[in-house]
Amino acid sequence: MGSELYAYGLLAIPLFSATLIAFCFRRSGGIAASVSIGAAALILATALHLIFKVDNFEYNASWIEIGSFSVDFGFLIDDLAKLMLFVVAFVGFLVHVFSYGYMKEDPDRARFFGGLSIFMFSMLGLVMASGLVTLFIFWELVGFSSYMLIGFYLDKPSAAAASKKAFIVNRVGDFGFLIGIVMVFSHFGTFSLSSLSAIFHGDATLLESVSVTAIGLLLFCGTVGKSGQLPLHVWLPDAMEGPTPVSALIHAATMVAAGVFLLCRIGFLMTADALQVITWVGVSTALVAGFTAIAQRDIKKILAYSTVSQLGYMVAAFGLGSLVALSGEASHGYAVISGGAAAAMFHLTTHAFFKALLFLGSGSVIHACHHEQDIFRMGGLAKRMPITFWTFTVALLALIGTPFITAGFYSKDAILALAYQQSTPAFFCLVLGAVLTAFYMIRLWKIAFLGSPKSESAEHAKENGLVMTVPLCLLAIGSVFGGFVWAYPEALKPIIEVGESIAHGEHHTTVAIFSIVAWAIGLVTAWFLYQGGAEKDPLESGVKPLYRIFKEKFYFDRAYDWYVAKVQQPVAMTLHFMEQIALSGLIIRGMAGVAGLIGIGLRSLHVGNLHQYLYWFIGGLALFWALAVGIF
Amino acid sequence: MIGLEHYIIVSSLLFSIGFFGVLLRKNTLVIYMCLELMLNAANLALVAFSRYHGGMGGNVFVFFIITVAAAEVAVGLAIIVALFRKRQTVEVEELNTLKN
Amino acid sequence: MTDVFFYIFSTAALAAGIGVVLSRNTVNGAMFLIGTFLSMAAMFVLLEAYFLAVIQVLVYAGAVMVLFLFIIMLLDVRESAAKKTSVYTWVASFIGLAILIVATVSVVSAESIKTKAAALPEPSGASLKPFGYELFTTYLLPMQVTGFLLLIAMIGVIALSKKLDTDGSAK
């Protein structure tokens, strides 16, 4: 009885905080910030209690019951959820604290903190959801919070366009997701994840039918939208229009990870064919995003493409590992932790730490440089902002998979090991992705931090206060120690253990060698290609056509714009036109017109002309007489 | 032999004469007089029916009609006088102020 | 003998009616109307409704027409030029005529009318006694209501004919 109270509490605290801010503290930013940060602290405390002191449980309350159709609202707290809860609560709290300093001069920060609270509410609900419908509801809520926070700067039309784009692209993915949910219900009659898991474990033949593949792929559509896989990745870089803490929390650590989380939740219903598709979507995303990141100038855009690339890694990990599981040992238990899911979650956790740190660090840099975001106009920040520099470096090393000392090495190794076991082409693609990762991150590092300042704002940069640097340090610790299983408390161990065992499994030497070589190649190439604090990109003049393609993000945005302008708009205009004529015109205005005509006709009865009244009198008389005679 | 049908024909002819008078004249007073003509035609028909079918109903009905018609004439003429005072005319077409 | 009288008086009534409709001078029209009323009274006599004939002369020709003539002279009406007949007039006239003819023919050719000439029932309106009897028993309610109606009509006429001040309030 008592356990679900914590879950309800986790939902109620941020909701209450958001409501309070919305109704009472709209104008007083300081109080709103404190309320929100207090709520985040409470959430962290409750989440930790839930993780460490409460056993795994599932709780369901009947919500909608219409005949044979019933939807439950409930919580499913298992190892997967606990790990995700930890990530969300911890990173969320740190971002809240960081934003206190970052948003200090912003007059609208009450709205910002309200949005953060709403986001925490939606994300926690999503993590704890026990059924597909509940999950979908919170999924959409998370999308809404993201929309609200991306478009936070009301006076920037680019921000409004970006938030619109994010929401619409997400919607496209959610469309497939919704159809998948409906198909699940029509095939299996239930939305509950645990019941579905039981059904699938009881009947292995289910995994061979085409409809289950279709269901799996449709549900994956949600991930494609939310986690920015190809081809729906276009919204993530644009989402950088939002304030940097938002990018750190939502678009690096948690919301985009929700797609991967969903995959792990529904892992049991993935067939081999679906997994193949998923794997290659992930791999191609990793590569395309990696290439695009090479040619970007904005620090946040580089990090955004890096996020897309890493998400591709996670998705690919899930696909590859589950394939291994399908061909290898049987999956078991209450929460299906196949190798793929474990590796994906492992990378998700470590990625949350170092990516959030990278974003917060970039936020610190941007804040100090008075909102200058072009790396070619920075430079020499290492001396001026030491703490930011060192924490950023730690996170960067983790991201590019610096051997043995960083968390990123182990999680990336797990993924590469799975790829090596399952599919050699995928393995080499992922290794190439690792090279690219190292390349563009070192490029960023050298140009932004080393050398001499290239602009006024960079010259006057100075370190930010404690409230912004302490979270950075805490996350740095996570980025280093997040790869070692012994660093994790008992409750969070199960998944990480599986993840690490894959990294140390068979072939691990070969895999390790490949990843170290990739790391080295990327690092050395970038080191010598870019001088510290460069002003122009040598690649730009060197390999012009390739560079153009990368810079234009592989023309994805152009393609979508063309599609919207040339295909969708005409269709929409045609429908609009038809609607104007048929619906508004004929039916609605037609009815009004008919009523008007009747009015005009009846009005003629009242003209005031006596003789006209007589004419009507005759008409009525004729009618009555006909009736009396019996003509009608 | 004069039968009921003769009286009916006369009554209907008189009614139609009165009706055309109302249709075709412009002066309110003349219209009113033709109205009385129509009433009388109805009276004739009623009395004829009462005579040929027996019973007092038709006669009493005519009695009431005459009474009510007298009252109605009084009131109608008072209205016409009031209208004349206001508009200085009793032409039906000039009395019409409604926008058509 | 009565047939001849019927034809004379019916022709007179119809002619006078046409005279009312067609006369230019309003007073002439009023005179013609009186003629109609008198012919009607004669026809009532032919139908052996003597009381009604007398009432017709007294009320209609006596009171109503006098009132009409008073008002005509009060308002000093002049008939202006005839209005041009719109197409509606012709349509309405045609319809009216059509109805009239068809109605009359259908009524007249009905069975219940044709046979009555032979066996006439007793004329019930011949004497006054049945009238009074009916009025005070079967038709008591209509009589009382008519009394009220006359009262209201009188009050209405008085209210309507009050002279108004220039600003509209009644004196």
Side-chain angles (χ1 to χ4, degrees):
Chain A
M1 172 58 209
S3 319
E4 71 272 9
L5 281 181
Y6 292 107
Y8 274 121
L10 273 180
L11 286 184
I13 298 172
L15 189 61
F16 183 64
S17 144
T19 323
L20 213 60
I21 294 178
F23 286 128
C24 312
F25 301 128
R26 271 274 178 79
R27 263 171 272 282
S28 36
I31 305 181
S34 325
V35 167
S36 187
I37 296 177
L42 256 179
I43 290 173
L44 183 59
T46 320
L48 289 174
H49 179 94
L50 192 59
I51 294 171
F52 294 122
K53 289 283 167 39
V54 178
D55 294 329
N56 294 355
F57 70 91
E58 183 184 353
Y59 164 81
N60 279 311
S62 170
W63 182 39
I64 300 178
E65 277 202 46
I66 308 175
S68 59
F69 175 78
S70 71
V71 177
D72 286 342
F73 174 81
F75 305 117
L76 175 59
I77 308 287
D78 57 355
D79 299 325
L80 191 64
K82 281 188 175 174
L83 180 62
M84 198 72 192
L85 265 181
F86 174 70
V87 171
V88 171
F90 184 61
V91 177
F93 175 67
L94 291 177
V95 168
H96 271 83
V97 173
F98 182 86
S99 339
Y100 184 77
Y102 187 80
M103 302 293 286
K104 210 180 242 165
E105 297 108 33
D106 197 316
D108 284 327
R109 50 198 173 127
R111 185 158 48 94
F112 178 81
F113 281 103
L116 274 188
S117 292
I118 286 281
F119 171 75
M120 290 304 283
F121 166 70
S122 328
M123 194 66 205
L124 290 168
L126 197 155
V127 166
M128 298 192 292
S130 74
L132 280 173
V133 173
T134 323
L135 199 147
F136 186 72
I137 293 174
F138 283 110
W139 184 274
E140 293 296 324
L141 275 173
V142 170
F144 163 71
S145 335
S146 160
Y147 166 84
M148 184 183 153
L149 285 166
I150 294 176
F152 175 71
Y153 295 119
L154 293 175
D155 49 352
K156 276 174 42 173
S158 54
S163 63
K164 199 170 63 170
K165 184 174 182 182
F167 199 79
I168 292 179
V169 173
N170 257 301
R171 213 70 193 91
V172 174
D174 293 346
F175 180 61
F177 190 14
L178 194 56
I179 298 182
I181 295 181
V182 170
M183 275 185 77
V184 163
F185 186 74
S186 77
H187 273 94
F188 302 111
T190 172
F191 291 112
S192 158
L193 287 165
S194 43
S195 327
L196 285 169
S197 159
I199 293 177
F200 273 89
H201 287 138
D203 185 1
T205 59
L206 274 176
L207 285 180
E208 275 146 44
S209 65
V210 177
S211 53
V212 175
T213 310
I215 292 179
L217 284 176
L218 282 169
L219 291 174
F220 176 60
C221 279
T223 308
V224 171
K226 188 72 81 188
S227 294
Q229 303 299 301
L230 243 59
L232 295 178
H233 68 286
V234 288
W235 67 273
L236 240 176
D238 284 31
M240 297 298 124
E241 296 282 343
T244 315
V246 166
S247 311
L249 181 60
I250 300 185
H251 304 123
T254 43
M255 185 182 94
V256 292
V260 181
F261 177 73
L262 171 71
L263 278 182
C264 298
R265 271 279 198 237
I266 58 172
F268 48 81
L269 57 79
M270 292 296 175
T271 62
D273 299 322
L275 286 171
Q276 285 279 10
V277 173
I278 293 178
T279 309
W280 282 104
V281 169
V283 167
S284 48
T285 309
L287 276 184
V288 165
F291 277 118
T292 320
I294 296 180
Q296 300 301 316
R297 295 177 67 109
D298 185 341
I299 185 173
K300 282 178 77 172
K301 288 270 197 307
I302 299 178
L303 292 175
Y305 280 107
S306 167
T307 311
V308 174
S309 181
Q310 296 305 308
L311 287 167
Y313 269 92
M314 289 180 223
V315 169
F318 173 78
L320 290 163
S322 310
L323 273 173
V324 171
L326 274 183
S327 52
E329 83 270 21
S331 38
H332 60 286
Y334 188 73
V336 178
I337 315 211
S338 66
M345 288 306 293
F346 187 24
H347 196 60
L348 195 156
T349 315
T350 56
H351 175 264
F353 291 136
F354 55 69
K355 198 37 85 51
L357 174 53
L358 281 171
F359 267 109
L360 289 184
S362 76
S364 181
V365 162
I366 293 173
H367 192 238
C369 291
H370 301 291
H371 296 286
E372 173 63 65
Q373 292 188 233
D374 188 343
I375 54 172
F376 286 100
R377 295 169 56 80
M378 297 177 192
L381 294 173
K383 293 189 202 55
R384 291 171 173 74
M385 308 176 64
I387 304 183
T388 309
F389 173 67
W390 283 110
T391 50
F392 197 89
T393 313
V394 168
L396 195 146
L397 290 176
L399 173 56
I400 62 180
T402 310
F404 303 119
I405 53 166
T406 54
F409 175 68
Y410 293 104
S411 55
K412 208 178 275 196
D413 247 23
I415 301 176
L416 289 175
L418 285 173
Y420 191 77
Q421 269 185 300
Q422 188 59 25
S423 153
T424 326
F427 176 70
F428 280 109
C429 289
L430 289 177
V431 168
L432 177 60
V435 174
L436 291 173
T437 312
F439 183 79
Y440 61 69
M441 283 316 287
I442 296 293
R443 167 182 180 260
L444 166 67
W445 186 68
K446 278 207 88 177
I447 296 176
F449 285 99
L450 304 184
S452 51
K454 285 294 165 299
S455 64
E456 276 280 326
S457 14
E459 265 204 54
H460 296 133
K462 59 173 181 48
E463 190 58 77
N464 295 302
L466 268 180
V467 83
M468 287 171 77
T469 47
V470 167
L472 295 179
C473 300
L474 287 174
L475 283 172
I477 299 176
S479 308
V480 171
F481 293 107
F484 304 122
V485 184
W486 45 262
Y488 283 90
E490 192 57 49
L492 296 171
K493 265 214 185 124
I495 303 183
I496 309 287
E497 260 176 351
V498 178
E500 231 210 325
S501 66
I502 299 177
H504 288 132
E506 47 179 296
H507 312 293
H508 81 272
T509 340
T510 334
V511 170
I513 292 178
F514 266 104
S515 79
I516 296 177
V517 167
W519 171 81
I521 294 178
L523 196 152
V524 166
T525 325
W527 191 274
F528 287 111
L529 202 51
Y530 295 97
Q531 301 109 336
E535 262 191 46
K536 287 186 335 91
D537 195 339
L539 272 187
E540 197 166 349
S541 30
V543 266
K544 253 230 180 79
L546 263 183
Y547 188 78
R548 268 265 309 285
I549 299 183
F550 297 157
K551 189 143 191 244
E552 289 292 328
K553 311 160 233 167
F554 284 86
Y555 296 106
F556 262 103
D557 275 329
R558 290 274 190 93
Y560 282 134
D561 284 338
W562 178 88
Y563 168 74
V564 169
K566 290 286 183 292
V567 176
Q568 176 167 306
Q569 284 300 85
V571 170
M573 292 307 283
T574 320
L575 286 176
H576 172 76
F577 181 70
M578 280 183 350
E579 184 248 352
Q580 288 281 61
I581 292 219
L583 263 186
S584 328
L586 215 58
I587 299 182
I588 297 179
R589 286 201 208 106
M591 296 237 148
V594 166
L597 275 175
I598 295 181
I600 293 179
L602 288 176
R603 190 181 66 176
S604 68
L605 282 175
H606 298 272
V607 283
N609 184 354
L610 192 69
H611 292 151
Q612 192 126 339
Y613 297 158
L614 267 166
Y615 301 144
W616 284 104
F617 173 78
I618 292 190
L621 187 65
L623 199 65
F624 272 124
W625 176 77
L627 269 169
V629 163
I631 290 186
F632 297 132
Chain B
M1 212 38 234
I2 301 297
L4 181 54
E5 58 268 24
H6 297 91
Y7 283 101
I8 299 300
I9 294 176
V10 170
S11 163
S12 47
L13 273 172
L14 205 55
F15 184 87
S16 67
I17 290 175
F19 185 74
F20 281 118
V22 173
L23 264 185
L24 297 173
R25 297 299 297 260
K26 282 185 319 188
N27 194 337
T28 319
L29 281 169
V30 176
I31 291 178
Y32 213 8
M33 290 199 289
C34 300
L35 215 57
E36 294 301 315
L37 210 50
M38 286 157 75
L39 265 174
N40 268 279
N43 284 354
L44 182 62
L46 271 166
V47 173
F49 272 113
S50 167
R51 173 76 178 91
Y52 279 90
H53 286 221
M56 278 299 298
N59 287 358
V60 176
F61 202 171
V62 171
F63 180 80
F64 283 123
I65 289 180
I66 292 179
T67 317
V68 170
E72 166 225 346
V73 163
V75 175
L77 285 175
I79 292 177
I80 292 180
V81 167
L83 207 53
F84 180 79
R85 280 214 205 107
K86 205 70 194 219
R87 306 294 235 79
Q88 313 307 321
T89 178
V90 284
E91 304 286 317
V92 164
E93 297 195 333
E94 312 206 358
L95 287 172
N96 186 4
T97 50
L98 281 179
K99 259 213 300 210
N100 197 354
Chain C
M1 204 47 207
T2 41
D3 299 355
V4 176
F5 277 127
F6 168 76
Y7 284 116
I8 295 176
F9 285 120
S10 57
T11 321
L14 290 172
I18 294 177
V20 170
V21 169
L22 292 180
S23 65
R24 290 276 135 227
N25 191 343
T26 324
V27 178
N28 286 356
M31 289 297 136
F32 277 122
L33 195 57
I34 294 179
T36 313
F37 289 154
L38 290 175
S39 319
M40 298 286 296
M43 286 214 277
F44 284 168
V45 168
L46 279 171
L47 283 168
E48 303 187 46
Y50 306 116
F51 177 59
L52 281 176
V54 173
I55 293 289
Q56 169 96 347
V57 172
L58 269 179
V59 171
Y60 256 122
V64 169
M65 285 323 295
V66 169
L67 192 57
F68 254 110
L69 281 164
F70 264 129
I71 300 299
I72 291 173
M73 287 191 286
L74 180 68
L75 298 184
D76 193 17
V77 287
R78 277 172 242 284
E79 185 79 11
S80 42
K83 73 166 185 186
K84 48 179 171 39
T85 45
S86 69
V87 66
Y88 291 117
T89 318
W90 292 115
V91 170
S93 319
F94 180 71
I95 296 179
L97 204 58
I99 296 175
L100 182 74
I101 294 174
V102 175
T104 316
V105 164
S106 70
V107 164
V108 158
S109 55
E111 272 308 306
S112 56
I113 295 189
K114 271 218 162 68
T115 54
K116 283 302 175 181
L120 275 178
E122 189 165 313
S124 35
S127 66
L128 200 47
K129 184 160 162 221
F131 246 109
Y133 190 77
E134 288 291 314
L135 270 180
F136 280 91
T137 52
T138 321
Y139 298 101
L140 182 58
L141 180 61
M143 202 192 68
Q144 302 291 353
V145 170
T146 315
F148 263 120
L149 184 80
L150 289 170
L151 177 66
I152 293 168
M154 192 166 70
I155 297 175
V157 169
I158 294 175
L160 276 169
S161 52
K162 268 174 120 55
K163 267 226 172 69
L164 301 172
D165 274 345
T166 40
D167 62 350
S169 60
K171 265 218 294 235

